[in-house]
Amino acid sequence: MEKFAFILHPLSAGDMGLISPFLKYVPEKLLEACLKKKKPFKVSHITGVKSQYAEAEGWFVGCPLTARQMLELPEEFVLDRIIEAGHIAEDLGAKIVGLGAFTSIAGDAGITVAKHLNIAVTSGNSYTVATAVQGTKAAAAMMGKSFDSCHAAVVGASGSIGAAAVRLLAGEVPHITLVARKLAPLENLAQDIISREQCQVDVTGDIHGSLKNADIVIAVTSALDFLISPEDLKPGAVVCDVARPRNVSRAVSAKRRDVLVIEGGVIDVPGDVDFHFNFEFPPRMAYACMAETMILALESRYENFSLGRNLDVNKIRTIAELAEKHNFHLAGFRNFERAVTEEEIDFVKHSALGTLVAHNR
């Protein structure tokens, strides 16, 4: 039996209601003050992860800091908490631990955490990137779009996931816009892409203006608030929101029936899986970052895999191949915790055509 663990944390104080309904009624500032004093803890035992080649069990380990706390508290304090959670994973018997959400971007994106643990560490970001691009490509095809004629935009292109997504997309689309607040890293990435691919590359810090001509958008920033609004998007656009907390406002789906919004990286896990924890997904479904940890365990690849801010494209391709081997795959399309049906996609497609016809009259 292979063994893994995954560190998760509340994105906001409200998420603590998943642990105890009572906590929903505790004022946010008071709850965050309590979380700061609380030590990491075992959340649940994960059973039934099984492919035709191997079987694994694991554990969710809670790191009780919100996303805001991970960004605002001293880096050393945050890293110490994550490392403590990693030691719990070790004590439980895990041979690899995955870093979830903001634990994967704290400090140097897992490198320091790995140095302080005696087990392998991964952020799960390689499989997150792979599935985000896979899902976007599949959704675009259902919307009648071909990647080889699409203008793509990556919001958060200066981050590890965003930059890796750019590298994957640049080989398939003719035009890509890199979007982030800090332009210097984008300029360097753009020059590297231009030297390698036959792709037009633009760089901008204007999130709202940059999306008006984009056929496909991948959003993957670590912002705490929504960045993408209904008026930002082109009719017929496909938007893949990989970020947690979300980068795309719920108002986009409510007001723009001519735009398709999907969540990135929701995976169907093989086996009779029971997470013994409700993170508001249907049975057997998990985030891609969680799935990467499981895949590496099933493959007995107990090695530091996705760490740091420069993801290896070869590792992205490797984890995608291993996922296929062990029968991990995209769990259809989802948007705000619900499935997106083919009928809905067809409706969006025809609504976009109607919008464009009306606009051209």
Side-chain angles (χ1 to χ4, degrees):
M1 178 78 73
E2 307 300 335
K3 298 180 187 295
F4 67 91
F6 190 83
I7 299 173
L8 41 73
H9 71 95
L11 294 177
S12 66
D15 284 347
M16 290 302 294
L18 297 174
I19 302 293
S20 171
F22 167 75
L23 296 175
K24 291 181 179 180
Y25 304 102
V26 179
E28 186 169 356
K29 288 186 178 180
L30 175 60
L31 187 53
E32 285 193 338
C34 294
L35 290 175
K36 186 178 176 181
K37 297 179 180 180
K38 185 172 177 58
K39 296 292 187 179
F41 59 97
K42 184 184 87 169
V43 174
S44 71
H45 183 206
I46 303 166
T47 59
V49 179
K50 186 177 182 180
S51 75
Q52 67 180 99
Y53 301 99
E55 186 173 358
E57 65 174 339
W59 297 269
F60 281 136
V61 178
C63 182
L65 293 173
T66 66
R68 180 169 63 188
Q69 287 177 302
M70 290 204 175
L71 290 178
E72 296 179 354
L73 288 173
E75 182 178 291
E76 184 177 356
F77 178 87
V78 173
L79 288 175
D80 283 346
R81 278 287 189 271
I82 298 170
I83 291 165
E84 286 181 53
H87 286 314
I88 291 175
E90 288 179 337
D91 293 341
L92 289 167
K95 298 179 182 179
I96 186 169
V97 62
L99 305 177
F102 281 58
T103 68
S104 70
I105 64 173
D108 50 12
I111 295 173
T112 295
V113 174
K115 289 178 180 178
H116 284 80
L117 297 180
N118 296 314
I119 58 176
V121 179
T122 188
S123 67
N125 285 345
S126 292
Y127 194 42
T128 297
V129 174
T131 55
V133 174
Q134 287 173 8
T136 303
K137 191 171 185 178
M142 293 185 70
M143 285 284 289
K145 300 177 184 293
S146 174
F147 253 39
D148 60 11
S149 61
C150 280
H151 177 176
V154 176
V155 181
S158 59
S160 59
I161 296 176
V166 168
R167 294 186 188 283
L168 292 179
L169 288 170
E172 299 196 50
V173 300
H175 188 177
I176 186 165
T177 299
L178 317 186
V179 190
R181 290 192 179 97
K182 296 181 180 179
L183 296 184
L186 297 188
E187 295 285 1
N188 293 333
L189 177 59
Q191 290 303 314
D192 185 52
I193 295 298
I194 291 169
S195 70
R196 296 170 184 267
E197 305 287 352
Q198 296 295 316
C199 180
Q200 181 180 338
V201 183
D202 300 325
V203 169
T204 181
D206 178 9
I207 291 174
H208 304 294
S210 65
L211 305 184
K212 296 189 183 299
N213 294 316
D215 301 295
I216 57 174
V217 178
I218 294 180
V220 61
T221 82
S222 56
L224 298 178
D225 298 315
F226 296 126
L227 297 176
I228 299 175
S229 302
E231 60 273 12
D232 297 334
L233 298 162
K234 174 182 178 179
V238 174
V239 185
C240 181
D241 193 350
V242 185
R244 294 296 178 274
R246 290 180 173 84
N247 286 168
V248 181
S249 167
R250 189 182 289 268
V252 173
S253 294
K255 296 181 179 180
R256 291 295 303 272
R257 305 305 301 275
D258 58 351
V259 168
L260 177 62
V261 180
I262 59 173
E263 294 179 7
V266 182
I267 306 301
D268 192 4
V269 179
D272 187 17
V273 184
D274 193 338
F275 295 109
H276 294 97
F277 178 70
N278 176 22
F279 46 93
E280 300 183 320
F281 276 177
R284 295 180 51 188
M285 290 188 190
Y287 289 114
C289 52
M290 298 174 181
E292 178 173 308
T293 313
M294 301 175 205
I295 293 164
L296 292 170
L298 289 172
E299 190 68 11
S300 298
R301 286 189 65 155
Y302 296 121
E303 61 189 67
N304 295 334
F305 198 78
S306 303
L307 296 180
R309 306 203 182 280
N310 294 307
L311 295 177
D312 186 337
V313 172
N314 291 325
K315 284 189 173 182
I316 295 171
R317 295 186 175 121
T318 295
I319 199 67
E321 291 169 0
L322 293 177
E324 185 174 354
K325 171 183 173 180
H326 290 282
N327 200 29
F328 287 74
H329 53 81
L330 286 168
F333 301 116
R334 298 185 65 79
N335 180 17
F336 288 98
E337 287 84 42
R338 68 173 188 82
V340 178
T341 66
E342 291 187 18
E343 290 76 15
E344 288 179 272
I345 295 174
D346 195 53
F347 177 85
V348 172
K349 178 180 176 180
H350 284 90
S351 296
L353 290 172
T355 303
L356 289 170
V357 169
H359 179 74
N360 290 328
R361 282 176 178 171

